[in-house]
Amino acid sequence: MGIAKEEEAFHPVRVDYLLQIQTTIDYVEDHLAEELSLSRLAQVARLSDFHFHRVFLSMAGDTVMEYVRKRRLALAAKQIACSDERLLDIALNNGFQNHETFTRAFKRMFGMTPGDYRRQDIKPPSYAKLNVLQRKFNPYLGGIRMEYRLVTKPAYKVIGYELQTSTNDGENQRQIPAFWQEYLKNGWAHRIPNRIHKDSPVELGICYGFDMASGSFKYMIGMEAEHFENVAEDLVCREFGAAEYAVFTTPKVTPDQFSNSIQSTWGAVFGEWFPHSGYEHAGTPEFELYDERCHPGIELVQMDIYVPVKRKDA
């Protein structure tokens, strides 16, 4: 299993898929002063809300609403620098409801208030909108065939440790690896009771509880359990429903390349596989499965990615 490179013509459905996202980006640019919502932008892209949320995040590196916020702020910064327009008017004309919200968001992005930005006479560049059709945003363009299998998994119980995180500004990419390091360093695996795989630990990294508007979600490190009896208070017990998954196995790599391999496979799932698969993300929990193939001492490691899927509407 894994990702196999091959020489093939660029698939026309994949082009359409990229065009759907780019059309949405162009729409955002033309309607920044208006009220925009994830559902409205998903309609423009002709994708379901959750699938659009994940595809856009995969291609842009931000949730669509975070991208909208950054585009509004980039335009506002240009207007602050190149005009004498009142700061409040700039805020309102760029989709911010009041001066306080605008100032807070502006300071978060630029490290200073709009007033300080103007007083320092900063001349910002013309920040270009995202273009997902450019090759630099899509390292997998050119043809990749992904092998996968479909698995229907019954409802399952998990005991473990939970983290609240967010995709905003790549927060999850910092917090989740640190969470795993803490889990491994402290030997937390040994505290998980009632586990199904008793001889050799099989750990899951589960993403769930997605809030598409804020970009926040919960991440759990745990193991499948037979029951929830006699569980320590600081451990989290969660039950997840039955679902159909497309399962992708990462290529075998040395341990120092493992993280990159996982991220590359996730990127290929959304950038290459989904566009012409006939499936979309089901919007239910997704997880990574780590078993004996990636335990310490293994020379070449790999793992499985479980993505919940459903057939696209006709």
Side-chain angles (χ1 to χ4, degrees), residues 23-39:
T23 297
T24 309
I25 290 168
D26 296 342
Y27 180 90
V28 166
E29 205 70 15
D30 293 336
H31 298 82
L32 282 172
E34 302 173 17
E35 183 176 348
L36 295 172
S37 67
L38 183 142
S39 291

Side-chain angles (χ1 to χ4, degrees), residues 47-61:
L47 296 170
S48 68
D49 286 10
F50 192 88
H51 191 59
F52 171 66
H53 164 75
R54 289 306 310 274
V55 169
F56 193 96
L57 176 61
S58 175
M59 291 186 178

Side-chain angles (χ1 to χ4, degrees), residues 133-152:
L133 301 178
Q134 292 180 358
R135 190 179 182 90
K136 66 180 181 179
F137 288 107
N138 297 277
Y140 296 97
L141 296 186
I144 289 182
R145 173 177 53 82
M146 297 194 69
E147 296 181 4
Y148 69 98
R149 66 184 190 274
L150 291 176
V151 172
T152 300

Side-chain angles (χ1 to χ4, degrees), residues 76-93:
K78 192 73 173 178
Q79 293 169 351
I80 291 170
C82 301
S83 76
D84 295 324
E85 192 174 357
R86 289 195 317 156
L87 296 180
L88 178 58
D89 291 336
I90 291 175
L92 297 176
N93 291 337

Side-chain angles (χ1 to χ4, degrees), residues 21-30 32 36 41 52 56-57 59-75 94 96 108-109 127-132 137 167-169 212-214:
I21 300 300
Q22 190 61 45
T23 297
T24 309
I25 290 168
D26 296 342
Y27 180 90
V28 166
E29 205 70 15
D30 293 336
L32 282 172
L36 295 172
L41 296 176
F52 171 66
F56 193 96
L57 176 61
M59 291 186 178
D62 284 316
T63 65
V64 68
M65 296 314 298
E66 180 72 0
Y67 176 76
V68 168
R69 184 184 70 84
K70 288 181 176 180
R71 289 306 298 158
R72 285 170 169 165
L73 290 169
L75 182 59
N94 284 288
F96 292 92
R108 178 184 170 191
M109 182 165 174
Y127 299 103
K129 67 182 178 183
L130 178 65
N131 186 345
V132 298
F137 288 107
T167 57
N168 291 339
D169 297 323
M212 293 181 286
S214 68

Side-chain angles (χ1 to χ4, degrees), residues 231-275:
V231 178
E233 290 185 1
D234 61 327
L235 290 171
V236 174
C237 298
R238 295 281 183 252
E239 185 161 4
F240 299 96
E244 183 175 22
Y245 295 90
V247 183
F248 303 86
T249 302
T250 61
K252 288 184 177 181
V253 296
T254 54
D256 62 308
Q257 292 298 313
F258 196 30
S259 180
N260 289 338
S261 171
I262 295 169
Q263 292 304 315
S264 295
T265 304
W266 272 111
V269 169
F270 282 94
E272 289 288 332
W273 183 77
F274 265 125

